[in-house]
Coordinates of all heavy atoms in Angstrom, one line a residue:
A748 N 93.6 127.8 81.0 CA 92.1 128.0 80.7 C 91.4 126.6 80.6 O 92.0 125.6 80.2 CB 92.0 128.7 79.3
P749 N 90.2 126.5 81.1 CA 89.5 125.2 81.1 C 89.1 124.8 79.7 O 88.9 123.6 79.5 CB 88.3 125.5 82.0 CG 88.1 127.0 81.9 CD 89.4 127.6 81.7
Y750 N 88.9 125.7 78.8 CA 88.4 125.3 77.5 C 89.5 125.5 76.4 O 90.2 126.5 76.4 CB 87.2 126.1 77.1 CG 86.0 125.8 78.0 CD1 85.5 126.8 78.7 CD2 85.4 124.6 78.0 CE1 84.4 126.6 79.6 CE2 84.3 124.3 78.8 CZ 83.8 125.3 79.6 OH 82.8 125.1 80.4
M751 N 89.5 124.6 75.5 CA 90.3 124.7 74.3 C 89.8 126.0 73.5 O 88.7 126.3 73.5 CB 90.2 123.5 73.4 CG 90.9 123.6 72.1 SD 90.6 122.1 71.1 CE 91.4 122.5 69.6
R752 N 90.8 126.7 73.0 CA 90.4 127.9 72.2 C 90.6 127.5 70.7 O 91.6 127.2 70.3 CB 91.3 129.1 72.6 CG 91.0 129.6 74.0 CD 92.2 130.4 74.5 NE 92.4 131.6 73.7 CZ 91.6 132.7 73.8 NH1 90.6 132.8 74.5 NH2 92.0 133.8 73.0
V753 N 89.5 127.6 70.0 CA 89.4 127.1 68.6 C 89.5 128.3 67.6 O 88.6 129.1 67.6 CB 88.1 126.3 68.4 CG1 88.1 125.8 66.9 CG2 88.0 125.2 69.4
P754 N 90.6 128.4 66.9 CA 90.7 129.4 65.8 C 89.8 129.1 64.6 O 89.5 127.9 64.4 CB 92.2 129.4 65.4 CG 92.6 128.0 65.7 CD 91.8 127.5 66.9
P755 N 89.3 130.1 63.9 CA 88.4 129.8 62.8 C 89.0 128.9 61.8 O 88.3 128.1 61.1 CB 88.2 131.2 62.2 CG 88.4 132.1 63.4 CD 89.4 131.5 64.2
S756 N 90.3 128.9 61.6 CA 91.0 128.0 60.6 C 90.8 126.6 61.0 O 90.6 125.7 60.1 CB 92.5 128.4 60.5 OG 93.1 128.2 61.8
L757 N 90.9 126.2 62.3 CA 90.7 124.8 62.7 C 89.2 124.5 62.5 O 88.9 123.4 62.1 CB 91.1 124.7 64.1 CG 90.9 123.3 64.8 CD1 91.6 122.2 63.9 CD2 91.5 123.3 66.2
L758 N 88.3 125.4 62.9 CA 86.9 125.1 62.7 C 86.6 124.8 61.3 O 85.8 123.9 61.0 CB 86.1 126.4 63.2 CG 84.6 126.3 63.0 CD1 83.9 125.1 63.8 CD2 83.9 127.6 63.4
R759 N 87.2 125.5 60.3 CA 86.9 125.3 58.9 C 87.3 124.0 58.4 O 86.7 123.5 57.4 CB 87.6 126.4 58.1 CG 86.9 127.8 58.1 CD 87.4 128.7 57.0 NE 88.8 129.0 57.2 CZ 89.2 130.1 57.9 NH1 88.3 130.9 58.4 NH2 90.5 130.4 58.0
E760 N 88.3 123.4 59.1 CA 88.7 122.0 58.6 C 87.7 120.9 59.0 O 87.7 119.9 58.4 CB 90.1 121.7 59.3 CG 91.3 122.4 58.8 CD 92.5 122.1 59.6 OE1 92.6 121.0 60.2 OE2 93.4 123.0 59.7
K761 N 86.9 121.2 60.0 CA 86.0 120.2 60.6 C 84.6 120.2 59.9 O 83.7 120.7 60.5 CB 85.9 120.3 62.1 CG 87.3 120.4 62.8 CD 88.0 119.1 62.7 CE 89.3 119.2 63.6 NZ 89.9 117.9 63.7
T762 N 84.6 119.7 58.7 CA 83.4 119.8 57.9 C 82.6 118.5 57.8 O 81.5 118.4 57.3 CB 83.7 120.2 56.5 OG1 84.6 119.1 56.0 CG2 84.5 121.5 56.4
G763 N 83.1 117.4 58.4 CA 82.5 116.1 58.3 C 82.7 115.4 57.0 O 82.3 114.3 56.8
R764 N 83.4 116.1 56.1 CA 83.7 115.5 54.8 C 84.9 114.5 54.9 O 85.8 114.7 55.7 CB 84.0 116.5 53.7 CG 82.8 117.4 53.4 CD 83.0 118.2 52.2 NE 82.0 119.3 52.2 CZ 82.3 120.6 52.4 NH1 83.5 121.0 52.7 NH2 81.3 121.5 52.5
R765 N 85.0 113.6 54.0 CA 86.1 112.7 53.9 C 86.4 112.0 55.2 O 87.5 111.8 55.7 CB 87.4 113.4 53.4 CG 87.3 113.9 52.0 CD 88.6 114.6 51.5 NE 88.9 115.8 52.3 CZ 88.4 117.0 52.2 NH1 87.6 117.2 51.2 NH2 88.8 118.0 52.9
G766 N 85.3 111.6 55.9 CA 85.4 110.8 57.1 C 85.9 111.6 58.4 O 86.1 111.1 59.4
K767 N 86.0 113.0 58.2 CA 86.5 113.8 59.3 C 85.3 114.1 60.2 O 84.2 114.1 59.8 CB 87.1 115.1 58.8 CG 88.5 114.8 58.1 CD 89.2 116.1 57.9 CE 88.6 117.1 57.0 NZ 89.5 118.2 56.6
D768 N 85.6 114.5 61.5 CA 84.6 115.0 62.4 C 84.1 116.3 61.9 O 84.7 117.0 61.1 CB 85.2 115.2 63.8 CG 85.3 114.0 64.6 OD1 84.8 112.9 64.2 OD2 86.0 114.0 65.7
A769 N 82.8 116.6 62.3 CA 82.2 117.8 61.9 C 82.1 118.7 63.2 O 81.6 118.2 64.2 CB 80.8 117.6 61.3
W770 N 82.6 119.9 63.1 CA 82.4 120.8 64.2 C 81.5 122.0 63.8 O 81.5 122.3 62.6 CB 83.8 121.4 64.7 CG 84.7 120.4 65.3 CD1 84.5 119.1 65.4 CD2 86.0 120.7 65.9 NE1 85.6 118.5 66.1 CE2 86.5 119.5 66.4 CE3 86.7 121.9 66.1 CZ2 87.7 119.4 67.1 CZ3 88.0 121.8 66.8 CH2 88.5 120.5 67.2
M771 N 80.9 122.6 64.8 CA 80.1 123.8 64.5 C 80.1 124.8 65.7 O 80.1 124.4 66.8 CB 78.6 123.4 64.3 CG 77.7 124.5 63.8 SD 75.9 124.0 63.8 CE 75.9 122.6 62.8
A772 N 80.3 126.0 65.3 CA 80.3 127.1 66.3 C 78.8 127.6 66.5 O 78.1 127.8 65.5 CB 81.2 128.2 66.0
L773 N 78.4 127.7 67.8 CA 77.1 128.2 68.1 C 77.2 129.1 69.3 O 77.7 128.7 70.4 CB 76.1 127.1 68.4 CG 75.7 126.1 67.3 CD1 75.0 124.9 67.8 CD2 74.8 126.9 66.3
G774 N 76.9 130.4 69.2 CA 77.0 131.3 70.3 C 78.4 131.4 70.9 O 78.5 131.5 72.1
G775 N 79.4 131.3 70.1 CA 80.8 131.4 70.6 C 81.4 130.1 71.1 O 82.5 130.1 71.5
K776 N 80.6 129.1 71.1 CA 81.1 127.8 71.6 C 81.2 126.8 70.4 O 80.4 126.9 69.5 CB 80.1 127.1 72.6 CG 80.1 127.9 73.9 CD 79.3 127.3 75.0 CE 79.4 128.0 76.3 NZ 78.6 127.5 77.4
V777 N 82.2 126.0 70.4 CA 82.5 125.1 69.3 C 82.1 123.6 69.8 O 82.6 123.2 70.8 CB 83.9 125.1 68.8 CG1 84.2 124.1 67.7 CG2 84.3 126.5 68.3
Y778 N 81.3 123.0 69.0 CA 80.8 121.6 69.3 C 81.3 120.6 68.2 O 81.3 121.0 67.1 CB 79.3 121.6 69.4 CG 78.7 122.5 70.4 CD1 78.2 123.8 70.1 CD2 78.7 122.1 71.8 CE1 77.7 124.6 71.0 CE2 78.1 122.9 72.7 CZ 77.6 124.2 72.4 OH 77.1 125.0 73.3
N779 N 81.6 119.4 68.7 CA 81.8 118.3 67.8 C 80.4 117.7 67.6 O 79.9 117.0 68.5 CB 82.8 117.3 68.3 CG 83.0 116.1 67.4 OD1 82.3 116.0 66.4 ND2 84.0 115.3 67.7
I780 N 79.8 118.0 66.4 CA 78.4 117.5 66.2 C 78.3 116.1 65.6 O 77.2 115.6 65.3 CB 77.7 118.5 65.3 CG1 78.4 118.7 63.9 CG2 77.5 119.9 66.0 CD1 77.6 119.5 62.9
T781 N 79.5 115.5 65.4 CA 79.5 114.1 64.8 C 78.6 113.1 65.5 O 77.8 112.5 64.8 CB 81.0 113.6 64.7 OG1 81.8 114.6 64.2 CG2 81.0 112.4 63.8
P782 N 78.7 113.0 66.8 CA 77.9 112.0 67.5 C 76.4 112.3 67.5 O 75.6 111.5 67.7 CB 78.5 111.9 68.9 CG 79.3 113.1 69.1 CD 79.7 113.6 67.8
Y783 N 76.1 113.6 67.4 CA 74.7 114.1 67.4 C 74.0 114.0 66.1 O 72.8 113.8 66.0 CB 74.7 115.5 67.9 CG 73.3 116.1 67.8 CD1 72.3 115.7 68.7 CD2 73.0 117.0 66.8 CE1 71.0 116.2 68.5 CE2 71.7 117.6 66.7 CZ 70.7 117.1 67.5 OH 69.4 117.6 67.4
A784 N 74.8 114.0 65.0 CA 74.3 114.2 63.6 C 73.1 113.3 63.3 O 72.0 113.8 62.8 CB 75.4 114.0 62.6
T785 N 73.2 112.0 63.6 CA 72.1 111.1 63.2 C 70.8 111.2 64.0 O 69.8 110.7 63.7 CB 72.5 109.6 63.2 OG1 73.0 109.3 64.5 CG2 73.7 109.4 62.2
F786 N 70.9 112.0 65.1 CA 69.8 112.2 66.0 C 69.1 113.6 65.6 O 68.0 113.9 66.2 CB 70.2 112.3 67.5 CG 70.8 111.0 68.0 CD1 72.2 110.9 68.0 CD2 70.0 110.0 68.3 CE1 72.7 109.7 68.5 CE2 70.5 108.8 68.8 CZ 71.9 108.6 68.9
H787 N 69.7 114.3 64.7 CA 69.1 115.7 64.4 C 67.7 115.5 63.7 O 67.6 114.9 62.7 CB 70.0 116.4 63.5 CG 69.5 117.8 63.1 ND1 69.3 118.2 61.8 CD2 69.2 118.8 63.9 CE1 68.9 119.4 61.8 NE2 68.8 119.9 63.1
P788 N 66.7 116.1 64.3 CA 65.3 115.9 63.8 C 65.2 116.5 62.4 O 64.3 116.1 61.6 CB 64.4 116.7 64.8 CG 65.2 116.7 66.0 CD 66.6 116.8 65.6
G789 N 66.0 117.4 62.0 CA 66.0 118.0 60.7 C 66.8 117.3 59.7 O 66.9 117.7 58.5
G790 N 67.4 116.2 60.1 CA 68.2 115.4 59.2 C 69.7 115.8 59.1 O 70.0 117.0 59.5
V791 N 70.5 114.9 58.7 CA 72.0 115.1 58.6 C 72.4 116.2 57.6 O 73.1 117.2 58.0 CB 72.8 113.8 58.3 CG1 74.2 114.1 58.2 CG2 72.5 112.8 59.5
P792 N 71.9 116.2 56.4 CA 72.3 117.2 55.4 C 72.0 118.6 55.8 O 72.8 119.5 55.7 CB 71.5 116.8 54.1 CG 71.2 115.4 54.3 CD 71.0 115.2 55.7
E793 N 70.8 118.8 56.4 CA 70.4 120.1 56.9 C 71.3 120.6 58.0 O 71.8 121.7 58.0 CB 68.9 120.0 57.4 CG 68.3 121.3 57.6 CD 67.9 122.1 56.3 OE1 68.1 121.5 55.2 OE2 67.5 123.2 56.4
L794 N 71.6 119.7 59.0 CA 72.5 120.0 60.1 C 73.9 120.4 59.5 O 74.5 121.4 60.0 CB 72.7 118.8 61.0 CG 73.7 118.9 62.1 CD1 73.3 119.9 63.2 CD2 74.0 117.5 62.7
M795 N 74.3 119.7 58.5 CA 75.7 119.9 58.0 C 75.9 121.2 57.2 O 77.0 121.6 56.9 CB 76.1 118.7 57.1 CG 76.4 117.4 57.8 SD 77.6 117.6 59.1 CE 77.4 116.1 60.0
R796 N 74.8 121.9 57.0 CA 74.9 123.2 56.4 C 75.7 124.1 57.3 O 76.3 125.1 56.9 CB 73.5 123.8 56.1 CG 72.8 123.2 55.0 CD 71.4 123.7 54.9 NE 71.3 125.1 54.6 CZ 70.2 125.9 54.8 NH1 69.1 125.3 55.3 NH2 70.3 127.1 54.6
G797 N 75.7 123.8 58.6 CA 76.4 124.7 59.6 C 77.8 124.1 60.0 O 78.4 124.6 60.8
A798 N 78.1 123.0 59.4 CA 79.4 122.3 59.7 C 80.6 123.1 59.2 O 80.6 123.6 58.1 CB 79.4 120.9 59.2
G799 N 81.6 123.1 60.1 CA 82.9 123.8 59.7 C 82.8 125.3 59.7 O 83.7 126.0 59.2
R800 N 81.7 125.8 60.3 CA 81.6 127.2 60.4 C 80.7 127.7 61.6 O 80.3 126.8 62.4 CB 81.0 127.8 59.1 CG 79.6 127.3 58.7 CD 79.4 127.6 57.2 NE 78.0 127.6 56.8 CZ 77.1 128.6 56.9 NH1 77.5 129.8 57.3 NH2 75.9 128.5 56.5
D801 N 80.5 129.0 61.6 CA 79.6 129.5 62.7 C 78.2 129.3 62.3 O 77.7 130.0 61.3 CB 80.0 130.9 62.9 CG 79.3 131.5 64.2 OD1 78.2 130.9 64.6 OD2 79.9 132.4 64.8
G802 N 77.5 128.4 62.9 CA 76.1 128.1 62.5 C 75.0 128.9 63.3 O 73.8 128.6 63.2
T803 N 75.5 129.9 64.1 CA 74.6 130.6 64.9 C 73.4 131.2 64.2 O 72.2 131.1 64.6 CB 75.3 131.7 65.7 OG1 76.5 131.2 66.3 CG2 74.4 132.4 66.7
E804 N 73.7 131.8 63.0 CA 72.6 132.5 62.3 C 71.6 131.5 61.7 O 70.4 131.6 61.9 CB 73.2 133.3 61.1 CG 73.3 134.8 61.5 CD 73.5 135.7 60.3 OE1 72.9 135.5 59.2 OE2 74.4 136.6 60.4
L805 N 72.1 130.4 61.0 CA 71.3 129.4 60.5 C 70.4 128.8 61.6 O 69.2 128.6 61.4 CB 72.2 128.3 59.9 CG 72.6 128.3 58.4 CD1 73.5 127.1 58.1 CD2 71.4 128.3 57.5
F806 N 71.1 128.4 62.7 CA 70.4 127.8 63.8 C 69.2 128.7 64.3 O 68.1 128.3 64.5 CB 71.4 127.6 64.9 CG 70.9 126.8 66.1 CD1 71.1 125.4 66.2 CD2 70.1 127.4 67.1 CE1 70.7 124.7 67.3 CE2 69.6 126.7 68.2 CZ 69.9 125.3 68.3
G807 N 69.5 130.0 64.4 CA 68.5 130.9 64.9 C 67.4 131.2 64.0 O 66.3 131.5 64.4
E808 N 67.7 131.0 62.7 CA 66.7 131.2 61.6 C 65.7 130.1 61.7 O 64.5 130.3 61.4 CB 67.3 131.3 60.2 CG 67.9 132.6 59.9 CD 68.8 132.5 58.6 OE1 68.7 131.5 57.9 OE2 69.6 133.4 58.4
V809 N 66.2 128.9 62.0 CA 65.3 127.7 61.9 C 64.6 127.4 63.2 O 63.4 127.1 63.3 CB 66.2 126.4 61.5 CG1 65.3 125.2 61.3 CG2 66.9 126.7 60.2
H810 N 65.4 127.4 64.3 CA 64.8 127.0 65.6 C 65.4 127.7 66.8 O 66.2 127.1 67.6 CB 64.8 125.5 65.8 CG 66.1 124.8 65.3 ND1 67.4 125.3 65.5 CD2 66.2 123.6 64.7 CE1 68.2 124.5 65.0 NE2 67.6 123.5 64.4
P811 N 65.1 129.0 67.0 CA 65.7 129.8 68.1 C 65.3 129.2 69.5 O 65.9 129.6 70.4 CB 65.1 131.2 67.8 CG 64.0 131.0 67.0 CD 64.2 129.8 66.1
W812 N 64.2 128.4 69.5 CA 63.8 127.9 70.8 C 64.6 126.7 71.2 O 64.4 126.2 72.4 CB 62.3 127.5 70.7 CG 62.0 126.5 69.6 CD1 62.1 125.1 69.7 CD2 61.7 126.7 68.3 NE1 61.8 124.5 68.5 CE2 61.5 125.5 67.6 CE3 61.4 127.9 67.5 CZ2 61.2 125.4 66.3 CZ3 61.1 127.8 66.2 CH2 61.0 126.6 65.6
V813 N 65.4 126.1 70.4 CA 66.2 124.9 70.7 C 67.4 125.3 71.6 O 68.1 126.2 71.3 CB 66.7 124.2 69.5 CG1 67.6 123.0 69.9 CG2 65.5 123.6 68.7
N814 N 67.6 124.6 72.7 CA 68.6 124.9 73.7 C 69.9 124.1 73.4 O 70.0 123.0 73.9 CB 68.2 124.7 75.1 CG 69.2 125.2 76.1 OD1 70.4 125.2 75.9 ND2 68.7 125.5 77.3
H815 N 70.7 124.6 72.5 CA 71.9 123.8 72.1 C 72.9 123.7 73.2 O 73.6 122.7 73.3 CB 72.6 124.5 70.9 CG 73.0 125.9 71.1 ND1 74.2 126.2 71.7 CD2 72.5 127.0 70.7 CE1 74.3 127.5 71.7 NE2 73.3 128.1 71.1
E816 N 73.0 124.6 74.1 CA 73.9 124.5 75.2 C 73.7 123.2 76.1 O 74.6 122.6 76.5 CB 73.9 125.7 76.1 CG 74.3 127.0 75.4 CD 74.9 128.0 76.4 OE1 76.1 127.8 76.8 OE2 74.2 128.9 76.7
T817 N 72.4 123.0 76.3 CA 72.0 121.8 77.1 C 72.2 120.5 76.3 O 72.8 119.6 76.7 CB 70.6 121.9 77.6 OG1 70.4 123.1 78.3 CG2 70.2 120.8 78.5
M818 N 71.6 120.6 75.1 CA 71.6 119.4 74.2 C 73.0 118.9 73.9 O 73.3 117.7 73.8 CB 70.9 119.7 72.9 CG 69.4 119.9 73.0 SD 68.7 119.9 71.4 CE 69.0 118.3 70.8
L819 N 74.0 119.9 73.7 CA 75.3 119.5 73.2 C 76.4 119.7 74.2 O 77.6 119.7 73.9 CB 75.6 120.4 72.0 CG 74.7 120.3 70.8 CD1 75.1 121.3 69.7 CD2 74.7 118.9 70.2
A820 N 76.0 119.7 75.5 CA 77.0 119.9 76.6 C 78.1 118.9 76.5 O 79.3 119.2 76.7 CB 76.3 119.9 77.9
A821 N 77.7 117.6 76.2 CA 78.7 116.6 76.1 C 79.6 116.6 74.8 O 80.6 115.9 74.7 CB 78.1 115.2 76.2
C822 N 79.2 117.5 73.9 CA 79.9 117.6 72.6 C 80.8 118.9 72.6 O 81.4 119.2 71.5 CB 78.9 117.6 71.5 SG 77.9 116.2 71.3
L823 N 80.9 119.6 73.7 CA 81.6 120.9 73.7 C 83.1 120.6 73.5 O 83.7 119.8 74.2 CB 81.4 121.6 75.0 CG 82.1 123.0 75.2 CD1 81.5 123.9 74.1 CD2 81.9 123.5 76.6
V824 N 83.7 121.3 72.5 CA 85.1 121.2 72.2 C 85.8 122.4 72.9 O 86.9 122.2 73.5 CB 85.4 121.2 70.7 CG1 86.8 121.3 70.4 CG2 84.8 120.0 70.0
G825 N 85.3 123.6 72.8 CA 85.9 124.7 73.3 C 85.3 126.0 72.9 O 84.1 126.0 72.4
L826 N 86.0 127.1 73.0 CA 85.5 128.4 72.7 C 86.1 128.9 71.4 O 87.3 128.8 71.2 CB 85.8 129.4 73.8 CG 85.3 129.0 75.2 CD1 85.7 130.1 76.2 CD2 83.8 128.8 75.2
L827 N 85.3 129.5 70.5 CA 85.7 130.1 69.3 C 86.6 131.3 69.6 O 86.1 132.2 70.3 CB 84.6 130.4 68.4 CG 84.9 130.9 67.0 CD1 85.6 129.7 66.2 CD2 83.6 131.3 66.2
V828 N 87.8 131.4 69.0 CA 88.6 132.5 69.2 C 88.1 133.6 68.3 O 87.8 133.4 67.1 CB 90.1 132.2 68.8 CG1 91.0 133.4 68.9 CG2 90.6 131.1 69.7
V829 N 88.0 134.8 68.9 CA 87.4 135.9 68.1 C 88.5 136.9 67.6 O 88.4 137.6 66.6 CB 86.3 136.7 68.8 CG1 85.1 135.9 68.9 CG2 86.8 137.1 70.2
E830 N 89.7 136.8 68.3 CA 90.8 137.7 67.8 C 91.4 137.3 66.5 O 91.2 136.1 66.1 CB 91.9 137.7 68.9 CG 91.5 137.9 70.3 CD 91.2 136.7 71.0 OE1 92.1 135.9 71.3 OE2 90.0 136.4 71.2
P831 N 92.1 138.1 65.8 CA 92.8 137.7 64.6 C 93.7 136.6 65.0 O 94.3 136.6 66.1 CB 93.6 138.9 64.2 CG 92.9 140.1 64.9 CD 92.3 139.6 66.1
E832 N 93.9 135.6 64.1 CA 94.8 134.5 64.4 C 96.2 134.9 64.4 O 96.6 135.8 63.7 CB 94.6 133.4 63.4 CG 93.2 132.7 63.5 CD 92.8 131.9 62.2 OE1 93.6 131.1 61.9 OE2 91.8 132.2 61.7
A833 N 97.0 134.2 65.2 CA 98.5 134.5 65.3 C 99.1 134.4 63.9 O 98.8 133.4 63.1 CB 99.1 133.5 66.2
G834 N 99.9 135.3 63.5 CA 100.6 135.3 62.2 C 99.8 135.9 61.1 O 100.3 136.0 60.0
S835 N 98.6 136.4 61.4 CA 97.8 137.0 60.3 C 97.8 138.5 60.5 O 98.3 139.0 61.5 CB 96.4 136.5 60.4 OG 95.7 136.9 61.6
Ligands
LIG2307 C1 64.9 120.6 63.8 C2 68.5 120.6 67.0 C3 71.4 122.7 63.8 C4 67.8 122.7 60.6 C5 65.6 120.5 65.0 C6 65.0 120.1 66.2 C7 66.0 120.1 67.1 C8 67.2 120.5 66.4 C9 65.9 119.7 68.6 C10 63.5 119.8 66.5 C11 62.9 121.2 66.9 C12 61.4 121.1 67.1 O1 60.7 120.2 66.6 O2 61.0 122.0 67.9 C13 69.6 121.1 66.4 C14 70.9 121.2 67.0 C15 71.7 121.8 66.1 C16 70.9 122.1 64.9 C17 71.3 120.7 68.4 C18 73.2 122.1 66.2 C19 74.1 121.2 66.4 C20 70.7 122.9 62.7 C21 71.2 123.6 61.5 C22 70.2 123.6 60.6 C23 69.1 122.9 61.2 C24 72.6 124.2 61.4 C25 70.4 124.2 59.3 C26 69.6 125.0 58.7 C27 66.7 122.1 61.2 C28 65.5 122.0 60.5 C29 64.6 121.4 61.4 C30 65.4 121.2 62.6 C31 65.1 122.4 59.1 C32 63.1 121.1 61.2 C33 62.8 119.7 61.1 C34 61.3 119.5 60.9 O3 60.6 119.9 61.9 O4 60.9 119.0 59.9 N1 66.9 120.7 65.1 N2 69.6 121.6 65.1 N3 69.4 122.5 62.4 N4 66.7 121.6 62.4 FE1 68.1 121.6 63.8

């Protein structure tokens, strides 16, 4: 497969806390938002509300007109796995 498949457990680890990278799922795609964070017009803390989780709803509530696929193309990590995780 061309893209890494990201299970929700891995996404949850990537919160940007303790110097770690921050990842966010948007529309089924997982992005490393770390390099983008300081450019976010709404500020870093606001952006980080969606870190380590699926930010699709938050994102859509605030700015549904923003094209994250284009803006974050270089930050794409992979696809969020929707099936139950192995072993669960
Ligand atoms: C503003 C991008 C995630 C909250 C903006 C704007 C862009 C942007 C381009 C300016 C929009 C405009 O002026 O028309 C992104 C991207 C995100 C992201 C690429 C994902 C990586 C979030 C999240 C939140 C958020 C998760 C959390 C609630 C805001 C707010 C503003 C804003 C409040 C308004 C700033 C203002 O006009 O004062 N964002 N955003 N964003 N964003 Fe985000």
Side-chain angles (χ1 to χ4, degrees):
Y750 296 116
M751 176 181 176
R752 292 161 61 76
V753 181
S756 58
L757 178 55
L758 176 61
R759 280 194 297 270
E760 289 175 24
K761 308 291 186 176
T762 60
R764 294 190 198 108
R765 297 182 297 276
K767 292 194 293 190
D768 278 351
W770 291 8
M771 188 188 304
L773 293 168
K776 293 183 174 176
V777 176
Y778 299 98
N779 181 350
I780 57 171
T781 312
Y783 172 72
T785 56
F786 299 98
H787 181 237
V791 176
E793 194 71 5
L794 173 71
M795 289 305 168
R796 290 172 59 199
R800 62 195 197 92
D801 191 333
T803 307
E804 263 195 42
L805 269 177
F806 187 99
E808 283 166 13
V809 183
H810 39 42
W812 58 88
V813 174
N814 188 334
H815 58 79
E816 294 208 78
T817 305
M818 292 190 62
L819 300 174
C822 299
L823 181 64
V824 172
L826 303 180
L827 186 64
V828 176
V829 288
E830 310 87 73
E832 292 165 53
S835 65

